């Protein structure tokens, strides 16, 4: 009451609540909060402000996880429009936005649209990780794709190869949000 509905602290609280809902698997509850936050940040900060772009990315994630893929695509396309003419660098939010856009294109089976972006991202990852790790990165991306398609046995094989190569090269395998130790061990029959 003291600050009003459009106060920045209230909007930040709504943003945090949306993230909590999203992490609890209740993305459908996060969507209206995310929409409010995006509208507020666009109005107060402008479209190209990093906080606005982050809120737009989060909203796309909420829609994606709620299986509202066309809605998610609209938000990611808006991000790509805002990023046009810029070359997102690895380890930045902007790089993650492009990755999320690629993922949604692939989820919608628009592989021909996703392929050139994925190739561009691989070049950037190669520059970031070094040539010796590029195959490992490609395997990691393949494993995510297989797991997205619920091809767990094939994904398990790729994950095992990833781990073996990591051990041989004394590198840590990339974290895989879709694959945990329990699934890995069950794929081995343990």
């Amino acid at each position: 009451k003291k600050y009003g509905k459009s106060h920045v602290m209230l909007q930040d609280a709504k943003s945090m609540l949306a993230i909590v809902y999203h992490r609890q698997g209740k993305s459908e509850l996060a969507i209206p909060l995310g929409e409010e936050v995006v509208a507020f940040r666009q109005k107060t900060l402008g479209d190209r402000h990093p906080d606005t772009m982050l809120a737009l990315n989060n909203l796309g994630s909420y829609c994606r996880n709620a299986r509202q893929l066309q809605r998610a695509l609209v938000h990611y396309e808006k991000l790509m429009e805002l990023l046009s003419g810029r070359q997102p660098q690895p380890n930045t939010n902007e790089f993650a936005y492009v990755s999320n856009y690629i993922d949604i294109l692939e989820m919608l089976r628009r592989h021909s649209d996703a392929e050139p972006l994925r190739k561009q991202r691989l070049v950037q990852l190669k520059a970031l990780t070094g040539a010796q790790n590029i195959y490992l990165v490609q395997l990691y991306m393949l494993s995510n794709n297989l797991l997205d398609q619920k091809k767990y046995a094939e994904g398990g094989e790729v994950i095992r190869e990833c781990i073996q190569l990591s051990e041989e090269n004394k590198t840590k395998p990339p974290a895989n949000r879709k694959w945990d130790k329990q699934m890995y061990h069950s794929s081995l029959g343990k």
Side-chain angles (χ1 to χ4, degrees):
K1 285 184 175 183
K2 183 178 179 182
Y3 296 108
K5 290 181 180 181
S6 64
H7 192 274
V8 69
M9 288 176 64
L10 177 61
Q11 294 302 319
D12 286 347
K14 287 180 181 183
S15 177
M16 287 184 256
L17 181 59
I19 291 168
V20 169
Y21 282 147
H22 176 65
R23 290 186 178 163
Q24 291 177 338
K26 300 176 184 177
S27 294
E28 63 283 346
L29 297 175
I31 292 170
L33 292 170
E35 289 171 336
E36 256 188 82
V37 171
V38 167
F40 175 78
R41 290 187 178 168
Q42 286 173 327
K43 181 180 173 186
T44 58
L45 302 172
D47 281 343
R48 293 188 186 275
H49 191 278
D51 291 346
T52 305
M53 293 172 72
L54 179 61
L56 193 56
N57 181 70
N58 289 347
L59 180 55
S61 294
Y62 307 153
C63 292
R64 180 184 64 214
N65 286 7
R67 306 307 292 169
Q68 298 178 19
L69 301 181
Q70 290 298 328
R71 263 178 98 178
L73 179 64
V74 168
H75 300 304
Y76 291 128
E77 285 177 336
K78 174 70 174 171
L79 274 170
M80 295 306 101
E81 181 184 314
L82 294 171
L83 289 174
S84 70
R86 293 161 69 171
Q87 185 65 32
Q89 296 302 308
N91 289 339
T92 65
N93 283 345
E94 292 178 1
F95 190 73
Y97 304 157
V98 174
S99 296
N100 290 340
Y101 179 58
I102 293 167
D103 290 346
I104 201 72
L105 288 172
E106 293 203 347
M107 290 174 83
L108 291 167
R109 306 281 188 248
R110 290 179 49 188
H111 301 292
S112 60
D113 293 331
E115 185 179 351
L117 295 169
R118 188 171 294 284
K119 285 180 180 177
Q120 181 182 13
R121 186 173 68 170
L122 276 172
V123 168
Q124 290 174 316
L125 285 171
K126 184 176 180 181
L128 176 69
T129 63
Q132 72 276 12
N133 291 330
I134 191 61
Y135 183 62
L136 188 62
V137 171
Q138 288 175 326
L139 284 177
Y140 165 71
M141 290 167 50
L142 174 61
S143 71
N144 275 341
N145 196 354
L146 291 169
L147 296 171
D148 281 342
Q149 297 174 39
K150 302 196 182 328
K151 296 181 179 179
Y152 299 114
E154 293 173 62
E157 289 297 319
V158 173
I159 291 292
R160 281 190 285 283
E161 187 174 348
C162 230
I163 291 170
Q164 181 183 359
L165 283 171
S166 295
E167 289 170 353
E168 289 171 5
N169 294 328
K170 306 276 190 271
T171 60
K172 185 177 177 185
N176 190 323
R177 66 184 185 275
K178 298 177 188 87
W179 195 263
D180 60 23
K181 277 187 176 178
Q182 183 179 3
M183 287 178 71
Y184 171 69
H185 288 298
S186 69
S187 75
L188 295 174
K190 293 183 179 180

